[in-house]
């Protein structure tokens, strides 16, 4: 949540594949929940150690309201200096990704995406998970900004050589926009 450090997970591979193709899928809704893994880890430990949570209960760790859309993702890429990214028909984009799983590592993630709606996370009840996260993290998670988290993640991945640098070769700072 502080550094933007990121594992090479399915969302990272999605970002990487978008930059490889120079295309973003045309999708509606808030598709991606960005909840810092350190917060989720603290919540899991807190839940495991706290009496009162029923054994066998399910806790969804995604924080409501902390999702991003393709428009948000496009805005962050542009802010950081990525240019000439195109919007592509969702079905065609997804078919290109799925057709070449060697080149595009997000194929399994993309196969589950839909063009409409707010993603699978929006269907889950996050109430108890959010309460557990608030108790464990001890921070006001309501002030968490998903777009700022995304920007940090991309900056960190570029600095580590995991994502390509923007066309300018350097990441633009927010005051340069």
């Amino acid at each position: 949540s502080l550094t933007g450090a990121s594992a090479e997970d399915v969302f990272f591979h999605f970002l990487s594949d978008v930059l490889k193709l120079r295309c973003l899928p045309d999708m509606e809704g808030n598709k991606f929940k960005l909840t810092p893994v350190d917060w989720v880890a603290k919540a899991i430990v807190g839940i495991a150690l706290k009496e009162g949570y029923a054994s066998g209960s399910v806790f969804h760790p995604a924080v409501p309201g902390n999702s991003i859309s393709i428009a948000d993702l496009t805005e962050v890429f542009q802010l950081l200096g990525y240019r000439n990214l195109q919007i592509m028909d969702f079905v065609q984009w997804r078919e290109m990704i799925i057709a070449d799983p060697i080149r595009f590592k997000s194929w399994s993630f993309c196969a589950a995406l839909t063009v409409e709606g707010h993603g699978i996370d929006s269907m889950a009840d996050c109430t108890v998970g959010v309460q557990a996260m608030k108790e464990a993290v001890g921070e006001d998670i309501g002030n968490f900004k998903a777009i700022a988290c995304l920007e940090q993640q991309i900056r960190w991945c570029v600095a580590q050589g995991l994502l390509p640098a923007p066309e300018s070769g350097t990441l633009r700072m927010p005051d340069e926009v």
Side-chain angles (χ1 to χ4, degrees):
S1 58
L2 298 176
T3 66
S6 172
E8 289 190 42
D9 62 6
V10 291
F11 185 68
F12 162 80
H13 288 299
F14 170 77
L15 296 174
S16 178
D17 290 349
V18 162
L19 293 174
K20 280 179 193 172
L21 280 174
R22 310 296 302 160
C23 291
L24 292 118
D26 188 11
M27 298 188 303
E28 301 171 1
N30 294 320
K31 296 296 185 188
F32 313 108
K33 296 276 189 188
L34 300 182
T35 302
V37 69
D38 52 328
W39 287 11
V40 173
K42 288 178 184 178
I44 290 170
V45 170
I47 289 166
L49 298 175
K50 183 174 180 173
E51 290 186 33
Y53 287 126
S55 178
S57 295
V58 175
F59 299 89
H60 190 66
V63 179
N66 288 327
S67 55
I68 61 168
S69 65
I70 288 295
D72 296 330
L73 180 56
T74 302
E75 182 180 319
V76 170
F77 275 139
Q78 289 175 346
L79 168 82
L80 295 174
Y82 292 94
R83 300 289 178 254
N84 302 316
L85 295 174
Q86 305 297 314
I87 301 292
M88 182 179 197
D89 175 75
F90 170 75
V91 173
Q92 291 175 336
W93 180 88
R94 185 174 63 181
E95 286 175 356
M96 284 178 50
I97 297 288
I98 294 170
D100 193 350
I102 302 297
R103 181 172 178 221
F104 301 115
K105 294 182 181 178
S106 68
W107 67 270
S108 64
F109 176 66
C110 295
L113 289 176
T114 60
V115 71
E116 301 171 326
H118 295 294
I120 294 170
D121 284 345
S122 67
M123 295 183 279
D125 179 6
C126 300
T127 308
V128 178
V130 168
Q131 182 59 38
M133 199 171 300
K134 282 181 183 179
E135 291 170 3
V137 173
E139 299 175 37
D140 182 6
I141 61 176
N143 291 329
F144 174 74
K145 303 292 182 225
I147 291 176
C149 180
L150 174 64
E151 181 182 340
Q152 284 180 305
Q153 179 182 9
I154 294 170
R155 286 181 184 279
W156 186 87
C157 288
V158 169
Q160 302 304 310
L162 299 172
L163 287 177
E167 289 76 19
S168 63
T170 57
L171 290 174
R172 296 182 68 171
M173 298 308 290
D175 59 342
E176 296 176 321
V177 176

